[in-house]
Amino acid sequence: MTVYSTEEKRILVSGGSGFIGSHLIDLLLSQGHEVLCVDNLFTGSKRNIDHLHDNPKFEFIRHDVTLPLYVEVDEIYNLACPASPIHYQHDPVKTTRTSVSGAINMLGLAKRMKCRIFQASTSEVYGDPEVHPQVEGYWGNVNPIGPRSCYDEGKRCAETLFFDYNRQHGIEIKVARIFNTYGPRMHQADGRVVSNFIVQALKGIPITIYGEGQQTRSFCYVDDLIDGFVRFMGTTPDVTGPINLGNPIEFTIRELAELVLEMTGSKSTLVTAPLPEDDPKQRQPDITMARKLLDWEPRVKLRQGLEKTISYFDELLSEEAR
């Protein structure tokens, strides 16, 4: 059962200028909280938070979470880490350091401040799953030495640290495993399937499908996801997670490509390329726990969310063309 607090807080969001982080900040500010956005702008963008700089309750600090941070806050959301293969494979050692050292530094801050902390983990902890749909009790099938392991194992280690800080130091933790999320403010060159397909369709260039496009994903609109974050943070201390947050409705990659073509009216063709190494064949969350403990499930249908996302990228590309 969720327990919501109307008390105004000073909340730190690491990775706050990123796609998901910036939407989370919007929601927290709308609830009357003060928000400290911490980001090194490696994958985040000032564009995502430009509209907030005149808000007296918003503050931005350019900082890398692999270094300690000494501030006073009442609550922490730790979202800092590159989350797309193109970005996290660009500097894999840095990616692992961000997940692990970043978690240690944010947990250290939570320990000093005696405050609650949220970890944005990922469905990638399940690897290429042998259990479908994925339940929180499944330990995963992850290649520890592959090209994706900097992210997969980094996030798995971060979860370990969160639960050890909880057991050893009594820190109040909330660990969410995020499944594929999309919406406005996605990076147009992050290599994620939704942004890739939309940008390719709007530019009228071929849409690239890896393999035959029969691998599946479940797409959650960003507003639904951050609603889950805030609900989770409002639960009693004994509800630690990990909890899956994502949309349980599964689509093949080819189905997504065809829907994007239809909605954009694009003349782009579909072309195939070899599957990337360790690319999961299936990804679908079991959200039984989120429904029970958070009274949460996604509300936004894929077509509805894609309309908003396509509109965002259409405007972005138009601005770049001017």
Side-chain angles (χ1 to χ4, degrees), residues 194-249:
V194 173
S195 52
N196 267 7
F197 286 1
I198 291 175
V199 170
Q200 289 169 338
L202 290 173
K203 289 183 174 180
I205 61 178
I207 291 180
T208 306
I209 293 178
Y210 294 100
E212 294 302 316
Q214 294 308 306
Q215 64 272 43
T216 65
R217 297 292 184 270
S218 306
F219 302 103
C220 184
Y221 189 66
V222 64
D223 288 356
D224 282 333
L225 183 76
I226 61 171
D227 174 55
F229 286 9
V230 173
R231 286 172 180 261
F232 194 2
M233 279 293 260
T235 56
T236 53
D238 59 301
V239 181
T240 60
I243 293 180
N244 290 336
L245 292 178
N247 196 319
I249 301 174

Side-chain angles (χ1 to χ4, degrees), residues 22-85:
S22 61
H23 284 280
L24 173 61
I25 289 174
D26 284 345
L27 178 59
L28 295 173
L29 288 170
S30 75
Q31 294 177 335
H33 300 295
E34 292 184 26
V35 179
L36 174 60
C37 172
V38 175
D39 205 303
N40 68 353
L41 300 177
F42 174 59
T43 58
S45 171
K46 286 185 177 179
R47 175 192 173 93
N48 292 338
I49 54 173
D50 274 346
H51 63 290
L52 300 175
H53 288 298
D54 292 332
N55 189 322
K57 292 190 173 184
F58 174 77
E59 182 181 354
F60 172 74
I61 296 179
R62 186 163 185 170
H63 179 84
D64 191 317
V65 294
T66 61
L67 303 172
L69 180 65
Y70 300 96
V71 293
E72 293 189 1
V73 293
D74 304 308
E75 210 168 72
I76 300 168
Y77 286 83
N78 184 37
L79 276 63
C81 190
S84 72

Side-chain angles (χ1 to χ4, degrees), residues 215-219 249-253 255-256 259 302:
Q215 64 272 43
T216 65
R217 297 292 184 270
S218 306
F219 302 103
I249 301 174
E250 197 175 12
F251 294 88
T252 68
I253 297 302
E255 285 175 328
L256 174 68
L259 181 57
L302 181 60

Side-chain angles (χ1 to χ4, degrees), residues 19-20 83 118-127 129 131-138 151 159 175-183 186 192-194 216-222 224-226 229 242-250 280 282-288 290 296 298:
F19 157 49
I20 294 175
F118 175 98
Q119 167 66 3
S121 190
T122 172
S123 61
E124 296 297 328
V125 301
Y126 298 121
V131 171
H132 192 74
Q134 290 79 64
V135 295
E136 290 87 350
Y138 175 52
Y151 184 67
E159 287 195 14
V175 177
R177 290 176 176 165
I178 302 169
F179 284 68
N180 292 67
T181 304
Y182 71 101
M186 294 182 80
R192 296 182 188 179
V193 64
V194 173
T216 65
R217 297 292 184 270
S218 306
F219 302 103
C220 184
Y221 189 66
V222 64
D224 282 333
L225 183 76
I226 61 171
F229 286 9
I243 293 180
N244 290 336
L245 292 178
N247 196 319
I249 301 174
E250 197 175 12
Q282 295 177 306
R283 184 70 86 231
Q284 180 190 18
D286 182 308
I287 62 169
T288 302
W296 177 89

Side-chain angles (χ1 to χ4, degrees), residues 151-191:
Y151 184 67
D152 302 359
E153 296 289 32
K155 288 289 191 177
R156 285 163 70 94
C157 185
E159 287 195 14
T160 299
L161 287 162
F162 266 71
F163 281 91
D164 282 341
Y165 266 78
N166 172 256
R167 288 184 286 258
Q168 187 171 338
H169 301 297
I171 303 301
E172 289 187 21
I173 64 167
K174 307 290 177 182
V175 177
R177 290 176 176 165
I178 302 169
F179 284 68
N180 292 67
T181 304
Y182 71 101
R185 301 181 195 161
M186 294 182 80
H187 195 296
Q188 66 168 301
D190 66 3

